[in-house]
Amino acid sequence: MTQVDRYVVDWERIDTVLVDMDGTLLDLAFDNFFWLEVVPQRYASLQGLHIDAARRQLAPRFDAVVGTLSWYCLDHWTRSLGMDLKSLKREHREHIRFLPGAPEFLASVRRRGKRVSIVTNAHRDTFEVKAEHTGIDRLVDAVVCSHDFAAPKESAAFWQALERHAPFDASRTLLIEDSLAVLAAASAHGLQHTLAIRRPDSRLPARTIADYAAIDGVADLI
């Protein structure tokens, strides 16, 4: 499917909406700021390093686990880096914000009588901090964190576990997601309606996405 300027959902064909959190509902600018600025700065302070040296030490450790559950796991990084990352996220929570139109989009889906669930790779502790700050948990019918199934959304195991946990008709379910790897895993599981986000980080220009129908953000669906 080629990139389109505007995607129109045929709501008559949709019963369930699965929506990612970071980069789809919440601005990925926070996560990029946290991992690229806050964590290296705190690590440099703890280790007595210049921040550039800290970044050089951290980069291969991050790269080694990208796409695995460990990458999203605060427990893993707290042990590995010797920092209380939940508290660190809470210190910087003022940077957590919705992407444009996200609350309005969720309200519009529920008004249509569709079941809408957040499916996120975020650790439960991360979700707790973000829910406390935004109230995002009150805007949806359910929240599923991949840690609940011990498998990231990029894996077939996640989608199999999700279907056992909350059965859905793959032919009548829409997934909205910024990660192309997750969209690929969902499509392989049989989801027939997938939609990519071009601008997960509001500070950055829209990405070019060739393999999936795509929109700049969920505000385009209101």
Side-chain angles (χ1 to χ4, degrees):
M1 190 177 293
T2 58
Q3 180 166 308
V4 293
D5 291 331
R6 184 165 181 83
Y7 183 89
V8 178
V9 176
D10 183 354
W11 290 108
E12 294 300 316
R13 299 176 61 195
I14 302 297
D15 295 327
T16 303
V17 178
L18 304 177
V19 60
D20 173 50
M21 183 172 69
D22 300 312
T24 301
L25 297 175
L26 299 184
D27 198 333
L28 199 64
F30 169 75
D31 300 273
N32 288 334
F33 164 71
F34 183 79
W35 289 104
L36 299 178
E37 301 296 334
V38 174
V39 169
Q41 287 172 2
R42 182 62 59 89
Y43 185 77
S45 176
L46 290 173
Q47 300 296 323
L49 299 171
H50 187 277
I51 190 168
D52 290 338
R55 287 193 176 107
R56 286 194 297 272
Q57 287 191 18
L58 291 172
R61 297 167 74 172
F62 291 163
D63 291 344
V65 294
V66 167
T68 72
L69 203 62
S70 292
W71 167 237
Y72 305 102
C73 183
L74 289 196
D75 295 334
H76 168 80
W77 292 116
T78 293
R79 291 191 301 269
S80 177
L81 303 180
M83 294 188 284
D84 182 350
L85 292 186
K86 183 178 182 180
S87 295
L88 193 58
K89 288 196 174 193
R90 188 166 276 128
E91 286 178 30
H92 295 274
R93 63 186 178 275
E94 71 275 8
H95 295 281
I96 300 169
R97 56 181 57 92
F98 282 105
L99 282 165
E104 294 81 1
F105 164 71
L106 293 174
S108 73
V109 174
R110 298 179 90 180
R111 282 196 302 271
R112 293 178 183 273
K114 312 301 179 183
R115 178 173 175 79
V116 57
S117 299
I118 289 173
V119 287
T120 178
N121 273 327
H123 189 276
R124 279 285 175 183
D125 285 347
T126 294
F127 182 81
E128 180 181 324
V129 172
K130 293 182 175 182
E132 287 173 357
H133 187 66
T134 65
I136 194 171
D137 54 323
R138 299 191 296 271
L139 305 181
V140 296
D141 297 304
V143 176
V144 175
C145 295
S146 60
H147 287 70
D148 300 343
F149 304 144
K153 292 190 297 180
E154 292 89 337
S155 70
F158 172 85
W159 295 99
Q160 293 162 3
L162 178 62
E163 192 162 16
R164 289 193 299 269
H165 171 75
F168 57 88
D169 182 345
S171 70
R172 296 185 60 82
T173 297
L174 170 65
L175 171 66
I176 309 173
E177 167 73 55
D178 70 305
S179 167
L180 302 187
V182 172
L183 289 167
S187 296
H189 186 72
L191 270 73
Q192 295 179 21
H193 307 278
T194 58
L195 186 55
I197 298 296
R198 294 190 197 114
R199 290 198 67 197
D201 184 328
S202 65
R203 302 172 306 174
L204 301 177
R207 305 176 296 169
T208 297
I209 296 175
D211 296 329
Y212 298 93
I215 54 174
D216 282 354
V218 292
D220 293 347
L221 299 178
I222 299 174

